[in-house]
């Protein structure tokens, strides 16, 4: 059992009735029927509340893909070999991965962090090297990370968010077998059967999927018996370097009043850990999409979260986050650039028109 | 009863097995698990099929907001006065409306067409003047349009699409009381009670909404008795200049192999008319979002259409179309710019990994 002495950043309170009202009044003054931009209005309002100002600009968007390898890949539960993590990191920084193409197209600053890829990677301007180890240990046979490793991963995530100059941060991940790690983490934290939270990941089907589910089921049964009930210990047992870093990244961003867009299944597991650490993080998280990965929809439903998009995607990397960031950007643009009824000389609704 | 002698453009067939396979092979060769971009892959594939090439570029996106007034506004069924149509057209071309802000932000060419706004509008580079009349007649007391007017509106829509140089077209509309017109058109074409297809529009609530529903109910009962069963006659009875133009615009675009993104409730009514004219149009239409306007979800469900977005929006103008165009653009960007497994030296899935 590992005790957490980790000090998480404290999070601000975004509830501020006068500010909320000011934002609402501005939205209602724009040339459109009240509330007719639906969830875009919610996005704009929450962005302003997170930033603590009714005139906050969204000038810089930044997305980090956290990459790491997983010892559990050695159990042969993924269709892709482990070297794909390093190959895809290189593909990402060279601009050939889906997330890199999308970020360039959307005007989002993009970086990849090597949190613990199994092989050495060459230098690249878009690659931030913070390797903790060459992959985690196998969570199906013991702890995935030592408490020192977990603390280091959390700290790196916090630090990367805290030093960001962006107004909106996006999350992404890459790591062969990290869906297995995320599935185990969901099951442990939520007290579920690991087989229930485990899906195809990059494409485990048939016997391979059965093997993966059985593997996570058994691992979680073991960890559930030994777990000390803290998030920190859960991350040490079932997490990954990139997952713990993502949790830290979300908390670090929120501590600096920066909202964060959560990608899919794996980033949501990191968000679940962050929510357990501090419920206040909820105000700062924008869930981007429902992944088609098993259990993601069920998780979101049980948390009462309705993500912005539902496009049957299951790629990860941050691809869902990018699309949602574009929606939030449009929402904030409308907030700032639309004319008001008076500035545009547009007649308002008739009062008492009944 | 009005006979249609209108000649609609003929539409191409997009079914082409070799092309479809070529597109699928390319998508599967990109560095991602097969199918993991979900509906974005469908969008990219259908875009290529519409354009008739596996290497079609999406370089230019263009959106037109069709504006027109409606005689039925005189029944006092909308919370906003009729002059708002003209005021909003000016707001749109000056860049202060939601759709104009969003188009600028998304790099979409934007124009407004005056199809029949009740008042005279000043010249503006973004305003195309094709006024047929100063608003339609009141559909609750007779025909909304003469057959000459309806034919003119359809022709203008077809012509605007046919002369477009865009690779993807977006649709939008503006017109006080045009939700009433759309509701009547849905009811007439689908054989429903007008009260069922009628919702709040820009914000008719309480007694005002009851009045609107009763008004459309009665109008549709009358038209259902007299209708000759053709789409053309349905448009003459219940449509509007902007709605008929939108129907023409969709058909004209498809005839030139240009896919069209359908905005919300009102544009979908125009799409329904287009579908009745020629089912082949379905292949060219991308439904952008589910509006929160009553009956839109029910209509989409019964047609088996799952739009890309569901954001509780009900503004119209083309705002939902813009957001969907950005998704399609990201899909096509990924298609063209992502690396392939071989070009990026990424290992493929293991074969027979069971």
């Amino acid at each position: 059992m590992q005790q957490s002495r980790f000090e998480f950043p404290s999070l601000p309170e975004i509830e501020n009735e006068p500010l909320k009202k000011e934002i609402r009044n501005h939205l209602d003054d724009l040339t459109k029927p009240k509330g007719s931009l639906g969830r875009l209005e919610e996005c704009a309002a929450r962005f302003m509340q997170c930033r603590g100002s009714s005139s906050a600009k969204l000038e810089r968007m930044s997305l980090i893909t956290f990459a790491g390898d997983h010892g559990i890949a050695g159990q042969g539960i993924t269709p892709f070999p482990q070297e794909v993590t390093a190959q895809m990191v290189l593909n990402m920084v060279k601009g050939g991965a889906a997330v890199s193409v999308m970020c360039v197209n959307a005007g989002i600053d993009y970086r990849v962090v090597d949190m613990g890829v199994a092989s050495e990677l060459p230098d690249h301007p878009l690659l931030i090297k913070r390797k903790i180890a060459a992959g985690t240990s196998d969570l199906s046979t013991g702890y995935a990370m030592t408490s020192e490793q977990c603390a280091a991963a959390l700290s790196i995530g916090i630090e990367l968010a805290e030093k960001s100059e962006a107004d909106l941060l996006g999350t992404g991940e890459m790591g062969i077998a990290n869906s297995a790690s995320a599935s185990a983490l969901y099951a442990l934290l939520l007290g579920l059967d690991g087989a229930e939270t485990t899906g195809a990941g990059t494409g485990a089907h048939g016997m391979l999927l059965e093997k993966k589910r059985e593997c996570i089921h058994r691992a979680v049964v073991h960890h559930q018996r030994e777990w000390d009930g803290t998030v920190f210990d859960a991350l040490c047992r079932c997490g990954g370097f990139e997952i713990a870093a993502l949790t830290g990244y979300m908390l670090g961003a929120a501590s600096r009043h920066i909202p964060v867009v959560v990608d899919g299944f794996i980033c949501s597991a990191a968000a679940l850990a962050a929510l357990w650490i501090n419920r206040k993080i909820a105000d700062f998280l924008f869930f981007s999409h429902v992944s088609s990965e098993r259990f993601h929809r069920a998780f979101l439903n049980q948390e009462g979260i309705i993500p912005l998009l539902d496009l049957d995607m299951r790629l990860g990397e941050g691809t869902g986050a990018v699309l949602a960031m574009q929606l939030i950007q449009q929402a904030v643009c409308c907030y700032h650039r639309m004319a008001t009824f008076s500035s545009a000389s547009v007649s308002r609704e008739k009062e008492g028109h009944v």
Side-chain angles (χ1 to χ4, degrees), chain A:
Chain A
M1 208 174 302
Q2 311 198 12
Q3 283 302 319
S4 160
R5 291 171 176 278
F6 193 84
E7 234 180 83
F8 292 104
S10 63
L11 302 190
E13 191 70 70
I14 75 161
E15 271 312 314
N16 173 337
E17 272 309 314
L19 175 61
K20 208 167 163 179
K21 203 169 164 187
E22 206 181 309
I23 294 165
R24 189 70 254 162
N25 287 345
H26 177 70
L27 281 167
D28 289 346
D29 204 32
L30 301 175
T31 47
K32 58 172 180 50
K34 282 180 192 173
S36 59
L37 278 173
R39 297 200 64 196
L40 292 198
E41 295 193 29
E42 287 170 34
C43 286
R46 193 142 67 84
F47 175 82
M48 300 294 150
Q49 288 175 268
C50 289
R51 302 298 282 154
S53 159
S54 64
S55 59
K57 295 288 194 310
L58 175 38
E59 277 162 0
R60 197 163 155 189
M61 301 193 284
S62 176
L63 187 143
I64 294 183
T65 298
F66 293 83
D69 269 309
H70 291 261
I72 196 170
Q75 296 289 334
I77 53 168
T78 74
F80 285 94
Q82 189 174 59
E83 65 253 30
V84 166
T85 306
Q87 291 165 348
M88 280 303 296
V89 166
L90 291 179
N91 191 23
M92 285 170 177
V93 296
K94 288 178 184 167
V99 68
S100 6
V101 169
M102 287 187 184
C103 280
V104 168
N105 192 40
I108 297 170
D109 276 345
Y110 179 62
R111 296 287 183 281
V112 184
V113 187
D114 174 5
M115 291 298 305
V117 176
S119 54
E120 283 309 309
L121 292 162
D123 290 339
H124 191 284
L126 299 187
L127 180 63
I128 303 169
K129 291 183 161 185
R130 294 295 172 87
K131 197 193 293 292
I132 290 171
T136 56
S137 299
D138 183 350
L139 75 90
S140 72
T141 58
Y143 276 95
M145 297 184 269
T146 66
S147 56
E148 291 73 21
Q149 288 176 331
C150 184
L154 285 162
S155 297
I156 291 166
I158 293 168
E159 176 211 325
L160 287 169
E162 284 184 349
K163 76 177 191 196
S164 170
E165 284 164 14
D167 309 301
L168 181 66
L169 291 177
T171 59
E173 46 56 46
M174 178 68 219
I176 291 302
N178 70 358
S179 65
S181 166
S183 295
L185 188 60
Y186 281 116
L188 185 58
L189 287 174
L190 301 172
L192 299 171
D193 180 339
E196 285 312 302
T197 60
T198 301
T202 54
H205 298 296
M207 295 291 285
L208 187 63
L209 177 56
E210 283 318 300
K211 186 176 171 189
K212 181 180 175 187
R213 295 182 70 195
E214 172 62 21
C215 175
I216 301 303
H217 161 75
R218 274 188 291 108
V220 171
V221 167
H222 163 76
H223 287 301
Q224 272 163 345
R225 269 199 302 264
E226 312 271 323
W227 180 38
D228 74 2
T230 67
V231 189
F232 189 87
D233 189 51
L235 283 170
C236 291
R237 290 176 180 280
C238 301
F241 300 133
E242 82 284 35
I243 293 176
L246 279 160
T247 300
Y249 186 67
M250 293 175 198
L251 294 164
S255 77
R256 298 293 168 100
H257 297 268
I258 309 173
V260 181
V261 181
V262 180
D263 191 37
F265 182 71
I266 289 136
C267 289
S268 292
L272 172 61
L275 284 161
W276 269 50
I277 291 161
N278 192 334
R279 279 303 302 188
K280 278 194 212 162
I281 190 79
D283 292 331
F284 291 89
L285 301 181
F286 288 84
F287 285 81
S288 60
H289 80 120
V290 189
S291 166
S292 58
E293 177 71 2
R294 184 189 173 102
F295 189 66
H296 196 226
R297 190 179 299 273
F299 165 67
L300 295 167
N301 283 347
Q302 85 178 56
E303 291 284 325
I305 296 162
I306 305 173
L308 291 165
L309 295 158
D310 186 354
L311 293 169
D312 204 25
M313 289 164 62
R314 53 180 170 81
L315 177 52
E317 299 183 359
T319 49
V322 174
L323 301 178
M325 290 167 91
Q326 289 189 287
L327 294 178
I328 296 167
Q329 191 195 32
Q330 286 285 26
V332 175
C333 271
C334 284
Y335 181 96
H336 287 302
R337 299 188 198 157
M338 278 178 70
T340 58
F341 281 100
S342 53
S343 75
S345 304
V346 174
S347 307
R348 285 180 180 274
E349 277 178 276
K350 296 167 221 166
E351 291 293 329
H353 51 62
V354 287

